[in-house]
Amino acid sequence: MGLYVYGSLTTGDYAPASDIDVIVMLDRSPADGTVGELRTMHEALAALDPAGKLHCLYVAADSAGDAERLCTYWFGDRMTKWQMKVLTRAELVTAGVSLYGAWPPPGIEPVPLRDLQAAAL
């Protein structure tokens, strides 16, 4: 459904030690077989990026607003699970860039200030 970049790469404070934050918005969570294919793809890409800078979160649009739901996540050199946290959603909405897909990303709503404050605490 969409491919989005956010974080320091889009806010202007990217540095050589920074990571590259990507969200892939899907119509549903990837099945186990698909996760295996994604792992293989990311391992091949990691061979080109030995610093492990690529962080790619795979999010089902219907659960993008659920900060507790674990999503498939490539974290530099391994596949794991991570959440679409409140701060991640806020950063995506305010400074993200669509490389492919609709804007705003499906399932992503602006984050109320009180939710940001609670997440920061």
Side-chain angles (χ1 to χ4, degrees):
M1 296 178 71
L3 178 66
Y4 306 91
V5 178
Y6 70 102
S8 63
L9 193 60
T10 61
T11 59
D13 55 344
Y14 184 83
S18 298
D19 57 9
I20 299 170
D21 298 304
V22 176
I23 291 177
V24 178
M25 194 65 65
L26 306 166
D27 60 352
R28 63 183 177 279
S29 295
D32 290 343
T34 302
V35 172
E37 291 173 12
L38 290 170
R39 179 181 294 109
T40 299
M41 177 193 72
H42 279 288
E43 287 171 347
L45 289 172
L48 303 173
D49 175 28
K53 293 183 179 185
L54 181 62
H55 297 173
C56 190
L57 186 62
Y58 293 87
V59 180
D62 65 351
S63 62
D66 181 355
E68 300 302 315
R69 182 163 182 161
L70 290 173
C71 303
T72 300
Y73 185 50
W74 177 260
F75 184 68
D77 63 353
R78 67 189 177 281
M79 195 64 82
T80 186
K81 297 278 189 173
W82 197 247
Q83 301 110 333
M84 180 73 153
K85 294 184 174 189
V86 170
L87 294 173
T88 301
R89 290 192 337 257
E91 191 171 5
L92 177 61
V93 168
T94 59
V97 173
S98 173
L99 299 179
Y100 173 82
W103 190 264
I108 303 295
E109 300 292 330
V111 178
L113 179 58
R114 68 182 180 283
D115 292 353
L116 278 174
Q117 291 169 330
L121 291 176

